[in-house]
Amino acid sequence: MNGINQTCAIPAGTHAVWCGDSVTLGTGASTTTKRYSTRASGELNLTEHNYAKTNAGYLIDDNTIGMQLDAAKTDTGYPHNQVGYVFLMTGLTDSYQSLANMQQAVSDTIGKARSIFTSARIVVGVGPGCIPDADPAEAIAKQGHILTAITMAAVAADALVIRNMRAICGSDPDMHAAGINPNDEGMRLLAQAVVTSVDADKGEPLDTPVTELTRVYTSPGADWASRQVNAQRKREASKKEANRPTGTELTQLTSKLDELTQAQGLQQVIIEQQQAQLEVQQEQLKAAQDRLKSQQTALEAQQKQLGQIVDQLKGIVDDQGSTVIQLKTITDNLAATDGRVDQIQHTLYSNQVWLKNQLDNLNRRVTALENKGTVTG
């Protein structure tokens, strides 16, 4: 590959794990061999293991980078202790809804990668891919905040960060395939950026050859004061040169100012999002309080109805007690009446017996008179 340094030594291992979205998967490249992960792995003499999926991200339900790391963990087809690099390459498909949660997700994902591949250098590529022409300015700005959130979290987690990879292809039609996916040329440039960053991260010092080893001789009779003045002038000139900002320093200063501005903008958006979430939670709390108040009112009404029912039942019970007393009195009266009736019946029976005896006696007397007999008794 043209323009890529191939002379640096391999770091911790000879395998590379790649996680990401459709760009890292290779969508848009004419062949898999031309996707940027495969190109970069080849240039770095690393064996590629690609687990990328379309529409994946740090904070996307059921399609997270963490899930791809889980798939890599269960893949026993290569020695995990020989993984030199884990590339986490996404950002253009992530959600803008909660940037604070996004930062936490990035931090957690980096930690997960380290726990699985303990010898690997974690590389976070921030937003590799293209900017579709159809994306409005507001969407691009929101995406910028997402990329800033990923960058800050990755820097804080001490990962190797390849910043704003979205700018490599941008909206250049010569780099586009479809959507956020670059074509072969775009893939080549992404791979070049990855290799350049990895090589620079190795920190191998470049030896500067020593030239012009000319020995300077001075006359023993040289003026001492003149030598002191010249030395002073050299020191002043050296200080001025050291303090003079170079083009690289100015570029770095501008870059740091841009990063500071982006970070401040991100914090402002996070505060606004948290305030919006707080407002939603306050509305939910108010709605819950209103529901509770309504339920309390309904409960009070039910308690009042229950009290009325208890009073009614008490009245019924009291009425039943009175009715029982009345029934007892009636029962006693009936019992007394039954006794009197029994007495009357007994008296009637006695009277009937007496009357029958009287009739029998009278009948005997009448018979005796008819027979002219003597009636005794």
Side-chain angles (χ1 to χ4, degrees):
M1 183 184 302
N2 295 331
I4 300 179
N5 185 355
Q6 303 182 42
T7 63
C8 293
I10 302 301
T14 58
H15 294 264
V17 169
W18 292 81
C19 301
D21 51 32
S22 62
V23 179
T24 306
L25 182 63
T27 304
S30 59
T31 64
T32 303
T33 58
K34 291 187 177 181
R35 66 184 178 184
Y36 82 96
S37 61
T38 305
R39 286 174 178 263
S41 296
E43 292 297 329
L44 294 169
N45 294 325
L46 298 170
T47 302
E48 177 190 14
H49 304 277
N50 194 313
Y51 301 93
K53 288 187 176 182
T54 301
N55 294 327
Y58 290 102
L59 201 62
I60 296 178
D61 292 341
D62 300 324
N63 198 9
T64 65
I65 301 300
M67 295 172 67
Q68 295 177 24
L69 289 172
D70 290 334
K73 182 178 180 180
T74 58
D75 188 350
T76 59
Y78 57 98
H80 289 180
N81 61 354
Q82 287 298 312
V83 174
Y85 289 94
V86 175
F87 294 92
L88 309 177
M89 317 293 285
T90 188
L92 300 186
T93 56
D94 266 300
S95 172
Y96 175 78
Q97 298 304 316
S98 179
L99 296 177
N101 290 343
M102 166 68 70
Q103 288 184 298
Q104 186 61 52
V106 173
S107 178
D108 292 344
T109 304
I110 293 172
K112 187 173 190 176
R114 283 201 177 104
S115 68
I116 298 173
F117 303 102
T118 56
S119 302
R121 177 69 159 131
I122 310 301
V123 182
V124 176
V126 184
C130 301
I131 303 175
D133 293 335
D135 280 5
E138 182 181 359
I140 294 175
K142 288 182 177 181
Q143 198 171 72
H145 290 308
I146 294 173
L147 301 187
T148 300
I150 295 173
T151 301
M152 293 180 63
V155 169
D158 196 28
L160 168 57
V161 183
I162 309 176
R163 301 167 184 263
N164 196 20
M165 295 185 72
R166 178 182 65 169
I168 295 173
C169 297
S171 56
D172 187 349
D174 292 336
M175 306 293 173
H176 281 213
I180 65 171
N181 301 300
N183 57 20
D184 288 346
E185 178 61 15
M187 291 286 184
R188 185 188 71 81
L189 293 178
L190 292 178
Q192 183 173 345
V194 171
V195 174
T196 300
S197 296
V198 170
D199 284 347
D201 182 61
K202 294 173 184 176
E204 296 177 348
L206 297 176
D207 293 332
T208 303
V210 179
T211 60
E212 298 182 0
L213 295 178
T214 303
R215 182 171 296 178
V216 179
Y217 294 91
T218 60
S219 170
D223 181 63
W224 180 86
S226 177
R227 292 199 306 270
Q228 292 299 317
V229 170
N230 289 335
Q232 180 66 24
R233 288 176 179 174
K234 287 181 180 179
R235 285 195 296 270
E236 292 177 354
S238 178
K239 288 180 180 179
K240 290 180 180 180
E241 181 64 21
N243 293 328
R244 182 178 63 84
T246 64
T248 302
E249 290 171 343
L250 289 174
T251 300
Q252 292 176 347
L253 179 60
T254 302
S255 176
K256 289 181 179 179
L257 289 174
D258 289 342
E259 290 177 6
L260 179 60
T261 301
Q262 292 171 359
Q264 290 176 339
L266 173 65
Q267 292 304 318
Q268 181 63 34
V269 172
I270 289 176
I271 290 173
E272 291 174 356
Q273 288 182 340
Q274 291 175 339
Q275 287 176 338
Q277 292 174 356
L278 180 60
E279 290 176 359
V280 171
Q281 292 172 352
Q282 287 175 338
E283 291 177 358
Q284 292 174 345
L285 177 61
K286 184 178 182 302
Q289 289 174 336
D290 291 341
R291 288 195 299 270
L292 179 60
K293 184 177 180 181
S294 176
Q295 292 171 353
Q296 288 175 336
T297 301
L299 179 61
E300 290 175 357
Q302 292 174 351
Q303 288 175 336
K304 184 176 180 180
Q305 290 179 349
L306 181 60
Q308 293 175 347
I309 294 173
V310 170
D311 291 340
Q312 292 175 355
L313 290 174
K314 186 175 181 299
I316 293 172
V317 170
D318 292 342
D319 292 342
Q320 287 179 341
S322 176
T323 302
V324 168
I325 293 173
Q326 293 176 357
L327 288 175
K328 185 176 183 302
T329 301
I330 293 172
T331 300
D332 292 341
N333 293 335
L334 287 174
T337 302
D338 287 341
R340 289 194 297 271
V341 169
D342 289 340
Q343 185 178 3
I344 292 170
Q345 287 178 342
H346 180 71
T347 303
L348 287 175
Y349 178 76
S350 298
N351 292 335
Q352 287 176 351
V353 172
W354 178 83
L355 181 59
K356 183 177 182 298
N357 292 333
Q358 295 298 323
L359 289 174
D360 289 341
N361 292 332
L362 180 60
N363 187 41
R364 285 196 298 271
R365 289 176 180 176
V366 170
T367 301
L369 288 174
E370 290 178 349
N371 295 327
K372 293 182 181 181
T374 302
V375 179
T376 63

PDB file of all heavy atoms in Angstrom, residues 58 102-112 153-154 157:
ATOM      1  N   TYR A  58     -22.185   1.638  20.074  1.00  0.00           N
ATOM      2  CA  TYR A  58     -21.929   1.470  21.499  1.00  0.00           C
ATOM      3  C   TYR A  58     -23.218   1.397  22.303  1.00  0.00           C
ATOM      4  O   TYR A  58     -23.276   0.735  23.331  1.00  0.00           O
ATOM      5  CB  TYR A  58     -21.074   2.629  22.027  1.00  0.00           C
ATOM      6  CG  TYR A  58     -19.648   2.604  21.543  1.00  0.00           C
ATOM      7  CD1 TYR A  58     -19.223   3.442  20.529  1.00  0.00           C
ATOM      8  CD2 TYR A  58     -18.732   1.725  22.107  1.00  0.00           C
ATOM      9  CE1 TYR A  58     -17.904   3.423  20.088  1.00  0.00           C
ATOM     10  CE2 TYR A  58     -17.417   1.687  21.669  1.00  0.00           C
ATOM     11  CZ  TYR A  58     -17.007   2.540  20.656  1.00  0.00           C
ATOM     12  OH  TYR A  58     -15.708   2.511  20.215  1.00  0.00           O
ATOM     13  N   MET A 102     -23.810   7.512  26.443  1.00  0.00           N
ATOM     14  CA  MET A 102     -22.906   7.115  25.376  1.00  0.00           C
ATOM     15  C   MET A 102     -21.468   7.040  25.902  1.00  0.00           C
ATOM     16  O   MET A 102     -20.747   6.062  25.667  1.00  0.00           O
ATOM     17  CB  MET A 102     -22.994   8.118  24.229  1.00  0.00           C
ATOM     18  CG  MET A 102     -21.862   7.999  23.206  1.00  0.00           C
ATOM     19  SD  MET A 102     -21.942   6.498  22.252  1.00  0.00           S
ATOM     20  CE  MET A 102     -23.399   6.849  21.278  1.00  0.00           C
ATOM     21  N   GLN A 103     -21.029   8.070  26.622  1.00  0.00           N
ATOM     22  CA  GLN A 103     -19.678   8.065  27.170  1.00  0.00           C
ATOM     23  C   GLN A 103     -19.462   6.880  28.110  1.00  0.00           C
ATOM     24  O   GLN A 103     -18.413   6.234  28.078  1.00  0.00           O
ATOM     25  CB  GLN A 103     -19.409   9.374  27.906  1.00  0.00           C
ATOM     26  CG  GLN A 103     -19.250  10.576  26.975  1.00  0.00           C
ATOM     27  CD  GLN A 103     -18.878  11.833  27.738  1.00  0.00           C
ATOM     28  OE1 GLN A 103     -19.625  12.298  28.591  1.00  0.00           O
ATOM     29  NE2 GLN A 103     -17.731  12.392  27.420  1.00  0.00           N
ATOM     30  N   GLN A 104     -20.449   6.594  28.943  1.00  0.00           N
ATOM     31  CA  GLN A 104     -20.335   5.460  29.858  1.00  0.00           C
ATOM     32  C   GLN A 104     -20.249   4.150  29.093  1.00  0.00           C
ATOM     33  O   GLN A 104     -19.490   3.247  29.454  1.00  0.00           O
ATOM     34  CB  GLN A 104     -21.512   5.445  30.821  1.00  0.00           C
ATOM     35  CG  GLN A 104     -21.412   4.390  31.913  1.00  0.00           C
ATOM     36  CD  GLN A 104     -20.192   4.597  32.797  1.00  0.00           C
ATOM     37  OE1 GLN A 104     -19.973   5.689  33.318  1.00  0.00           O
ATOM     38  NE2 GLN A 104     -19.379   3.567  32.964  1.00  0.00           N
ATOM     39  N   ALA A 105     -21.035   4.031  28.009  1.00  0.00           N
ATOM     40  CA  ALA A 105     -21.023   2.811  27.200  1.00  0.00           C
ATOM     41  C   ALA A 105     -19.662   2.610  26.544  1.00  0.00           C
ATOM     42  O   ALA A 105     -19.156   1.484  26.476  1.00  0.00           O
ATOM     43  CB  ALA A 105     -22.123   2.873  26.147  1.00  0.00           C
ATOM     44  N   VAL A 106     -19.062   3.688  26.053  1.00  0.00           N
ATOM     45  CA  VAL A 106     -17.732   3.594  25.441  1.00  0.00           C
ATOM     46  C   VAL A 106     -16.712   3.131  26.484  1.00  0.00           C
ATOM     47  O   VAL A 106     -15.904   2.226  26.234  1.00  0.00           O
ATOM     48  CB  VAL A 106     -17.314   4.946  24.834  1.00  0.00           C
ATOM     49  CG1 VAL A 106     -15.864   4.889  24.348  1.00  0.00           C
ATOM     50  CG2 VAL A 106     -18.231   5.322  23.679  1.00  0.00           C
ATOM     51  N   SER A 107     -16.756   3.755  27.658  1.00  0.00           N
ATOM     52  CA  SER A 107     -15.826   3.380  28.723  1.00  0.00           C
ATOM     53  C   SER A 107     -15.995   1.914  29.122  1.00  0.00           C
ATOM     54  O   SER A 107     -15.017   1.175  29.281  1.00  0.00           O
ATOM     55  CB  SER A 107     -16.048   4.288  29.940  1.00  0.00           C
ATOM     56  OG  SER A 107     -15.208   3.925  31.002  1.00  0.00           O
ATOM     57  N   ASP A 108     -17.250   1.478  29.255  1.00  0.00           N
ATOM     58  CA  ASP A 108     -17.519   0.089  29.636  1.00  0.00           C
ATOM     59  C   ASP A 108     -17.036  -0.882  28.554  1.00  0.00           C
ATOM     60  O   ASP A 108     -16.514  -1.964  28.865  1.00  0.00           O
ATOM     61  CB  ASP A 108     -19.016  -0.105  29.885  1.00  0.00           C
ATOM     62  CG  ASP A 108     -19.500   0.634  31.118  1.00  0.00           C
ATOM     63  OD1 ASP A 108     -18.667   1.036  31.948  1.00  0.00           O
ATOM     64  OD2 ASP A 108     -20.729   0.829  31.238  1.00  0.00           O
ATOM     65  N   THR A 109     -17.229  -0.496  27.289  1.00  0.00           N
ATOM     66  CA  THR A 109     -16.829  -1.369  26.175  1.00  0.00           C
ATOM     67  C   THR A 109     -15.314  -1.520  26.130  1.00  0.00           C
ATOM     68  O   THR A 109     -14.794  -2.623  25.904  1.00  0.00           O
ATOM     69  CB  THR A 109     -17.351  -0.814  24.848  1.00  0.00           C
ATOM     70  OG1 THR A 109     -18.775  -0.658  24.916  1.00  0.00           O
ATOM     71  CG2 THR A 109     -17.026  -1.762  23.704  1.00  0.00           C
ATOM     72  N   ILE A 110     -14.595  -0.425  26.333  1.00  0.00           N
ATOM     73  CA  ILE A 110     -13.130  -0.493  26.363  1.00  0.00           C
ATOM     74  C   ILE A 110     -12.672  -1.385  27.515  1.00  0.00           C
ATOM     75  O   ILE A 110     -11.771  -2.226  27.356  1.00  0.00           O
ATOM     76  CB  ILE A 110     -12.530   0.912  26.483  1.00  0.00           C
ATOM     77  CG1 ILE A 110     -12.816   1.717  25.205  1.00  0.00           C
ATOM     78  CG2 ILE A 110     -11.027   0.848  26.730  1.00  0.00           C
ATOM     79  CD1 ILE A 110     -12.432   3.172  25.290  1.00  0.00           C
ATOM     80  N   GLY A 111     -13.299  -1.217  28.673  1.00  0.00           N
ATOM     81  CA  GLY A 111     -12.958  -2.070  29.810  1.00  0.00           C
ATOM     82  C   GLY A 111     -13.224  -3.534  29.522  1.00  0.00           C
ATOM     83  O   GLY A 111     -12.438  -4.410  29.925  1.00  0.00           O
ATOM     84  N   LYS A 112     -14.313  -3.812  28.829  1.00  0.00           N
ATOM     85  CA  LYS A 112     -14.647  -5.195  28.483  1.00  0.00           C
ATOM     86  C   LYS A 112     -13.606  -5.769  27.529  1.00  0.00           C
ATOM     87  O   LYS A 112     -13.185  -6.931  27.681  1.00  0.00           O
ATOM     88  CB  LYS A 112     -16.034  -5.232  27.851  1.00  0.00           C
ATOM     89  CG  LYS A 112     -16.570  -6.624  27.589  1.00  0.00           C
ATOM     90  CD  LYS A 112     -18.017  -6.546  27.130  1.00  0.00           C
ATOM     91  CE  LYS A 112     -18.657  -7.918  27.104  1.00  0.00           C
ATOM     92  NZ  LYS A 112     -20.098  -7.855  26.758  1.00  0.00           N
ATOM     93  N   ALA A 153     -14.377   9.880  26.021  1.00  0.00           N
ATOM     94  CA  ALA A 153     -14.419   8.662  26.835  1.00  0.00           C
ATOM     95  C   ALA A 153     -13.228   7.767  26.531  1.00  0.00           C
ATOM     96  O   ALA A 153     -12.636   7.167  27.440  1.00  0.00           O
ATOM     97  CB  ALA A 153     -15.730   7.912  26.580  1.00  0.00           C
ATOM     98  N   ALA A 154     -12.848   7.664  25.246  1.00  0.00           N
ATOM     99  CA  ALA A 154     -11.728   6.807  24.862  1.00  0.00           C
ATOM    100  C   ALA A 154     -10.399   7.367  25.375  1.00  0.00           C
ATOM    101  O   ALA A 154      -9.535   6.615  25.831  1.00  0.00           O
ATOM    102  CB  ALA A 154     -11.685   6.660  23.347  1.00  0.00           C
ATOM    103  N   ALA A 157     -10.084   6.663  28.954  1.00  0.00           N
ATOM    104  CA  ALA A 157      -9.831   5.240  29.213  1.00  0.00           C
ATOM    105  C   ALA A 157      -8.450   4.810  28.725  1.00  0.00           C
ATOM    106  O   ALA A 157      -8.139   3.618  28.765  1.00  0.00           O
ATOM    107  CB  ALA A 157     -10.902   4.393  28.537  1.00  0.00           C
TER     108      ALA A 157
END
